[in-house]
Amino acid sequence: MDLHYEIHGAGDETIVLLHGGGADMRTWQFIIPRLAANYRVIAFDGRGAGQSPAPVEPANYVEDVRMVLDHFGLEKAILVGHSIGGQIAVDFDLTYPERVSKLVLIACSVTGFRNAPDIEERFQRVLAAVPDVEKMTEFSLDFPSYDVVKASPHLELMTEMIRHNIKRWFDWKSGESVWPQPPAIERLNRLAAQTLLMIGTLDRPDLFPLAEQFGQLPNARLVWIDGADHMPMLTHPDEVSHTILQFLEE
């Protein structure tokens, strides 16, 4: 397997962590020790992020997760995904339902979801700053959904992660990606695994209706994290970890 990974802890069940866009496995550094006390935890850098190799063809992130499970001989695993990592986890469950024991989603979107116009405008502002890495980093952080983490002691970590992964983006040979069809937003009622979705009350408001949609699924639970933005793993690690462990132990 060519993806960079770390293994922590031990246990009969394995948790696989999927980080969000513009980030890498450092996202989980305050969560891993808590989960690893009871579970084997595998964290890896997604293709083109952290220390993993850049994509040379359209990336298939769902198949990358399958490769991770296959590499470690896992018939199934608990998937914990943040942001686009949660999007990947949802599509993985819809594609390989027999390989997911439980699903934990944090501040995630899904394929087929459309960003609000103001959010899309901010993404376009980042792209318009190419190739100025510092400007791209500044604009990437200029989202209201990062206000809490920017006011926290973790601003330096967040800035460094984004800067590092923007630099990595320039190494990509392909920026395209392959996703299962039809989009997950049309098939959420087919999610097989018991699902927990956590979202901060200060995250992007355009994600809230999607969160409520998850909350209405018969096998899903919606938990709001009061005072958290898009990065509750950094600013609210105790609450996030406790909620995950409580869900997994039921």
Side-chain angles (χ1 to χ4, degrees), residues 92-152:
F92 186 86
D93 179 274
L94 291 170
T95 306
Y96 300 106
E98 72 284 356
R99 305 200 68 175
V100 182
S101 51
K102 282 194 174 182
L103 194 60
V104 178
L105 311 171
I106 305 172
C108 85
S109 177
V110 295
T111 50
F113 173 82
R114 300 186 67 176
N115 296 318
D118 65 309
I119 299 297
E120 195 58 41
E121 288 172 7
R122 289 176 186 270
F123 283 131
Q124 292 304 317
R125 187 183 183 208
V126 174
L127 292 176
V130 173
D132 189 329
V133 171
E134 292 307 314
K135 279 293 184 185
M136 293 175 72
T137 302
E138 175 188 344
F139 294 157
S140 294
L141 282 165
D142 187 26
F143 283 71
S145 53
Y146 289 141
D147 284 350
V148 177
V149 73
K150 285 192 294 184
S152 79

Side-chain angles (χ1 to χ4, degrees), residues 12 19 24 29 33 37 52 65 77 93 122 131 156 174 182 196 199 211 227-228:
D12 295 334
H19 64 77
D24 49 53
Q29 63 183 267
S52 286
V65 175
D93 179 274
R122 289 176 186 270
E156 184 177 350
S174 172
L196 167 68
I199 188 166

Side-chain angles (χ1 to χ4, degrees), residues 37-120:
N38 298 302
Y39 296 87
R40 181 191 192 198
V41 179
I42 299 172
F44 69 95
D45 289 328
R47 193 162 300 281
Q51 299 180 56
S52 286
V56 296
E57 57 187 15
N60 191 322
Y61 301 109
V62 168
E63 290 305 309
D64 278 349
V65 175
R66 182 191 58 77
M67 176 180 67
V68 170
L69 267 60
D70 288 350
H71 178 79
F72 292 103
L74 298 171
E75 291 186 9
K76 59 171 52 181
I78 300 160
L79 299 186
V80 179
H82 168 246
S83 197
I84 195 174
Q87 175 174 310
I88 295 166
V90 167
D91 266 323
F92 186 86
D93 179 274
L94 291 170
T95 306
Y96 300 106
E98 72 284 356
R99 305 200 68 175
V100 182
S101 51
K102 282 194 174 182
L103 194 60
V104 178
L105 311 171
I106 305 172
C108 85
S109 177
V110 295
T111 50
F113 173 82
R114 300 186 67 176
N115 296 318
D118 65 309
I119 299 297
E120 195 58 41

